[in-house]
Amino acid sequence: MKNHSLISKIALATCLLFTTTLAQAQLDIDIDLGKAKWYEDPKIWIGVAIFLVVLAFIARGKKA
């Protein structure tokens, strides 16, 4: 009977360990250092627009 009690205590301790680990893993940690994301940079959007216009002219010029 004592062995059963020890096993249940170990199982309970293991469940509590995993539960607290999962609860801590869900914390929202924000480490934003004020840097802008790459997709927020207007230079990239202008470059993409120019690339698409050039690509459209190349595709339009290749009529078979």
Side-chain angles (χ1 to χ4, degrees):
M1 189 69 157
K2 290 183 180 181
N3 190 17
H4 179 67
S5 177
L6 178 64
I7 292 174
S8 64
K9 287 180 182 178
I10 291 173
L12 179 63
T14 305
C15 289
L16 288 174
L17 176 68
F18 285 130
T19 304
T20 55
T21 303
L22 288 173
Q24 288 177 355
Q26 293 180 6
L27 294 176
D28 185 24
I29 300 173
D30 187 20
I31 53 172
D32 187 20
L33 299 175
K35 296 180 181 177
K37 305 289 184 201
W38 64 269
Y39 50 82
E40 294 175 352
D41 190 8
K43 294 175 189 173
I44 293 188
W45 286 107
I46 292 170
V48 168
I50 292 171
F51 174 76
L52 290 175
V53 169
V54 169
L55 189 65
F57 280 119
I58 291 172
R60 192 177 115 199
K62 287 189 172 185
K63 292 185 179 178

